Amino acid sequence: MTTRRDQEFEEFVLAAWPRLRRAAYLLAHDSHDAEDLVQTALTRSYARWSAVRKEGAYSYVHRALVNAYIDTTRRRRPVPVEHVPERATDDGDTFEDRSELVDLLAPLTPRERSIIVYRYYLDTPEKEVAERLGVAPGTVRSTASRALARVRADQERNPR
């Protein structure tokens, strides 16, 4: 028998899956790792779903996603993507979009990548990013600025 909580969670997952997966892919640079990250974040979120406010559900799961990514980087160093899937996924991303984003984010550290994905991909306010990552808002600003400068410099050196 499905409870109301289970039904609400299932509806949320169906609506949020494509965007969560794209965000996870931008963080992890690997399709399989992205799937694992999303499932880890959703598993952690389901355990606390009754305490999650509906209007804050996306934020809660996004934070769980980034935290899961950070946890994996503590265990192992990220490996650069050498193989990108050859076909577009059915979640709206094309191979070209993913490839370009992955290439742009590849030289960034996990912290820089997390901040850039939060701020510019998930469109999260600076203050909220700082709260989610446990850093000062100034750290978010300076890290984002340095990361974007690094991406721009890399673009100038290696135009695509």
Side-chain angles (χ1 to χ4, degrees):
M1 179 169 186
T2 304
T3 66
R4 176 82 176 133
R5 174 183 159 221
D6 292 343
Q7 185 178 5
E8 288 174 357
F9 186 76
E10 186 175 330
E11 289 170 6
F12 172 82
V13 170
L14 289 172
W17 183 268
R19 189 166 185 201
L20 290 170
R21 194 190 167 296
R22 284 190 297 268
Y25 187 82
L26 290 174
L27 290 168
H29 292 187
D30 180 82
S31 274
H32 300 292
D33 289 344
E35 295 281 337
D36 290 344
L37 284 173
V38 173
Q39 289 192 13
T40 298
L42 289 172
T43 301
R44 291 176 181 175
S45 299
Y46 178 75
R48 306 256 314 134
W49 195 249
S50 57
V52 176
R53 293 187 321 251
K54 289 200 186 359
E55 63 275 1
Y58 280 104
S59 294
Y60 187 88
V61 176
H62 287 154
R63 181 177 185 159
L65 179 69
V66 172
N67 287 343
Y69 168 70
I70 290 169
D71 288 348
T72 64
T73 63
R74 288 181 183 144
R75 285 185 231 125
R76 62 174 171 76
R77 296 293 297 156
V79 177
V81 174
E82 294 178 12
H83 174 70
V84 178
E86 295 180 11
R87 63 178 185 82
T89 62
D90 58 353
D91 62 6
D93 274 346
T94 63
F95 167 75
E96 293 80 17
D97 293 341
R98 283 194 324 253
S99 178
E100 185 175 350
L101 285 171
V102 167
D103 290 345
L104 287 172
L105 296 175
L108 302 179
T109 66
R111 181 184 206 176
E112 290 170 332
R113 199 174 305 134
S114 297
I115 288 173
I116 294 299
V117 169
Y118 257 140
R119 282 288 291 133
Y120 303 107
Y121 184 75
L122 298 175
D123 199 28
T124 307
E126 194 173 271
K127 183 179 177 189
E128 195 173 324
V129 174
E131 290 171 6
R132 290 180 185 183
L133 296 178
V135 299
T139 302
V140 172
R141 276 191 300 275
S142 62
T143 302
S145 176
R146 279 192 308 274
L148 290 175
R150 195 195 236 169
V151 168
R152 286 182 194 111
D154 187 54
Q155 281 291 96
E156 289 173 7
R157 280 191 304 273
N158 306 311
R160 301 187 202 294

